[in-house]
Amino acid sequence: RHRKCSEGLPAGFGSSSSERRLQHIPVLMHRLPRSSAIAATTMAGSLRSQFQILGRRTAAAAPRRTASNEAGGEQEEKVQPPPWIVPLPKTVKIVEVGPRDGLQNEKQNVPAHAKIELINKLSSTGLSVVEATSFVSPRWVPQMADASEVLHGIDRKKGVSYPVLCPNMKGLELALKNEVEEIAVFSAASESFTKRNINATIEHSLKIFEPVVSTALKEGLKVRGYVSCVLGCPYEGYIKPSAVVDVSKSLYDMGCYEISLGDTIGVGNPGSAVAMIRAVKEEIPVDALAAHFHDTYGQALVNLLAALQEGVHVIDSAVGGLGGCPYAKGATGNVATEDVLYMLAGLGVETNVDLRRVMEASAFITKCLGKPSHSRVANSLWRRGSRVRVSFHYKEVLATACADGTVTGSEKALIEQYRLRHNIGSEEHNLALRALGWTSAQYQRGYK
């Protein structure tokens, strides 16, 4: 009386051993407890979906024969990639939140000079946004007490934005004194979290932000809005998408050009993430949305992929997976910037960010903190890359430029383009220089 689980599968799959095992699942379910039977049903559905996807991929990958190649031996027609995955954005903007959101929860004091060095290193990676600090009460967030010192100490690079968090008018006044160009305000989709975080209801918090946003806009500043707890709250549990929509729309209507949707405690999964984003998209253009996912349950990357498939093309991440939340017990760090870059590179999505340089910045700050990086990609590549080998072609390029004992500015520019194109990191570059008898200092000044 049970339908075969293989019903509706592409032809040719009925004889596989995997599918024969799949057909027995409904029979075996009679012998399982209810909870196990539900799990088995879910597994059967999942496997059926995978077989169907594989069938479509197999069919799409089969070469199409045309009259021309039947007759005369021309090459087979190229087939477009199978439509088994939703098209992704061609480019993604990475918003690096490590120096602010990543460090604010660290118990040990991080000196201002270390924060300045971290921001300067991140500025040289190709990132267009590096969230620098926040003007909040040092009593509540002592890690950010040196905000003015940090902003005065960094080398502001052209084309890079350094937003700061401002929860109230006092914070905005300090931000304006420090000549910032962009600020951020924040609320949450959870009443309980908002009360714990800023000691106000959601409605009251939005009223506090209204003069902050309007004044900032009058002063020519850009304003970004954060919404926390969009997929779950440490105090209330499940959060309805409609609650996220209400807060997000309020911030957007105030004048926030971008709304960052934060899974503060990292409990979301692709299903809940898609449902939430689709609800928000009905009220706010998807181009004005950003995904800010923590990795507590190891779901951040798959949630980001789901967000990309929904059209979101801005991602918040933190170098080395830094972060947490002082008001969300048990929440681990943000998704690691290195892991996001690795995934996007594999998907063919452009970011214009140099992964190796991000890893160097990550190594710097984790050494300052005396703790390992939370980036799986960085840890794997450092283990594998501890034996860096110099590309023969890159060595030839350098040898040509340095042949007469000098390196001109135009030659350095060409070398830099080659490094970016072929992902030549600083370590490999310095090894190549040493092999040619040059030091890094000699190269920088342009002669031996």
Side-chain angles (χ1 to χ4, degrees):
R1 68 185 183 183
H2 299 285
R3 288 192 310 174
K4 288 185 178 180
C5 290
S6 59
E7 182 178 337
L9 294 178
F13 281 91
S15 59
S16 74
S17 59
S18 297
E19 197 170 346
R20 284 198 299 273
R21 287 194 293 272
L22 181 61
Q23 292 172 6
H24 294 306
I25 288 177
V27 178
L28 294 172
M29 280 168 55
H30 285 296
R31 304 174 190 173
L32 297 174
R34 176 175 171 77
S35 59
S36 300
I38 292 171
T41 305
T42 305
M43 182 176 70
S46 175
L47 288 173
R48 186 186 298 116
S49 299
Q50 291 178 39
F51 277 127
Q52 289 171 341
I53 288 171
L54 183 57
R56 289 199 296 275
R57 291 177 67 183
T58 306
R64 198 180 300 153
R65 303 195 70 79
T66 61
S68 60
N69 69 30
E70 287 285 352
E74 287 186 18
Q75 288 187 351
E76 292 169 333
E77 182 184 350
K78 289 185 178 179
V79 181
Q80 292 296 321
W84 63 279
I85 189 167
V86 178
L88 301 174
K90 291 182 179 178
T91 60
V92 162
K93 180 178 80 173
I94 302 293
V95 177
E96 173 57 55
V97 299
R100 197 278 302 175
D101 191 29
L103 294 179
Q104 70 175 3
N105 201 37
E106 288 295 329
K107 293 180 180 178
Q108 61 173 301
N109 179 55
V110 181
H113 67 82
K115 295 174 185 174
I116 292 167
E117 182 69 16
L118 172 63
I119 293 170
N120 288 341
K121 285 180 177 294
L122 290 169
S123 298
S124 67
T125 62
L127 287 161
S128 60
V129 184
V130 180
E131 192 178 48
T133 185
S134 61
F135 287 103
V136 293
S137 169
R139 187 168 63 118
W140 293 106
V141 189
Q143 193 67 258
M144 298 289 110
D146 54 6
S148 295
E149 184 181 354
V150 169
L151 286 173
H152 282 294
I154 61 175
D155 298 325
R156 301 194 191 194
K157 191 171 183 179
K158 187 177 180 181
V160 180
S161 178
Y162 301 94
V164 301
L165 203 66
C166 295
N168 48 41
M169 285 300 295
K170 185 176 180 180
L172 177 60
E173 290 168 6
L174 291 170
L176 290 171
K177 286 179 182 178
N178 285 276
E179 301 179 345
V180 303
E181 297 177 350
E182 181 177 341
I183 67 164
V185 294
F186 58 94
S187 189
S190 159
E191 287 284 2
S192 302
F193 186 85
T194 306
K195 288 175 183 175
R196 298 278 186 118
N197 196 2
I198 58 174
N199 197 29
T201 63
I202 294 175
E203 184 180 1
H204 185 211
S205 73
L206 294 172
K207 287 181 180 178
I208 293 172
F209 297 144
E210 282 179 2
V212 176
V213 174
S214 61
T215 305
L217 293 174
K218 286 177 185 175
E219 294 290 337
L221 274 59
K222 294 172 67 177
V223 184
R224 191 175 198 243
Y226 283 99
V227 182
S228 301
C229 298
V230 298
L231 297 176
C233 169
Y235 313 110
E236 296 181 13
Y238 173 71
I239 297 295
K240 293 180 180 178
S242 58
V244 183
V245 173
D246 292 342
V247 180
S248 300
K249 191 170 187 310
S250 296
L251 290 172
Y252 185 70
D253 290 344
M254 275 185 210
C256 294
Y257 78 96
E258 194 168 86
I259 306 298
S260 176
L261 303 169
D263 181 13
T264 311
I265 57 174
V267 295
N269 56 59
S272 60
V274 166
M276 179 272 297
I277 291 170
R278 286 181 179 175
V280 177
K281 280 199 308 184
E282 291 183 5
E283 298 292 337
I284 300 173
V286 71
D287 288 345
L289 300 179
H292 182 122
F293 296 147
H294 286 232
D295 204 27
T296 311
Y297 285 74
Q299 298 291 292
L301 287 178
V302 289
N303 290 346
L304 287 175
L305 180 56
L308 291 172
Q309 291 174 334
E310 289 299 312
V312 175
H313 56 81
V314 181
I315 293 175
D316 294 1
S317 60
V319 61
L322 294 172
C325 179
Y327 304 101
K329 189 176 180 180
T332 57
N334 295 278
V335 63
T337 304
E338 302 95 309
D339 296 0
V340 173
L341 291 173
Y342 185 84
M343 179 186 76
L344 293 176
L347 293 169
V349 177
E350 290 289 336
T351 61
N352 298 318
V353 181
D354 187 332
L355 173 58
R356 284 187 178 273
R357 290 187 176 183
V358 172
M359 286 171 56
E360 289 167 5
S362 175
F364 166 78
I365 192 61
T366 51
K367 185 177 179 181
C368 289
L369 296 171
K371 60 198 297 187
S373 169
H374 292 295
S375 166
R376 293 179 178 86
V377 167
N379 290 334
S380 298
L381 289 178
W382 281 128
R383 284 195 296 269
R384 201 183 77 187
S386 57
R387 303 176 298 278
V388 176
R389 296 176 182 175
V390 180
S391 159
F392 173 74
H393 293 292
Y394 183 61
K395 192 174 173 181
E396 279 193 328
V397 169
L398 271 183
T400 302
C402 303
D404 60 351
T406 62
V407 186
T408 65
S410 58
E411 286 173 332
K412 285 183 183 178
L414 289 172
I415 290 170
E416 202 59 31
Q417 288 178 15
Y418 184 94
R419 288 181 62 186
L420 289 170
R421 206 162 46 239
H422 297 280
N423 196 24
I424 305 294
S426 299
E427 191 173 357
E428 186 175 347
H429 171 71
N430 290 332
L431 283 174
L433 284 174
R434 283 201 291 272
L436 296 171
W438 282 65
T439 66
S440 180
Q442 290 170 341
Y443 178 79
Q444 289 300 325
R445 70 175 180 239
Y447 59 90
K448 289 185 78 170

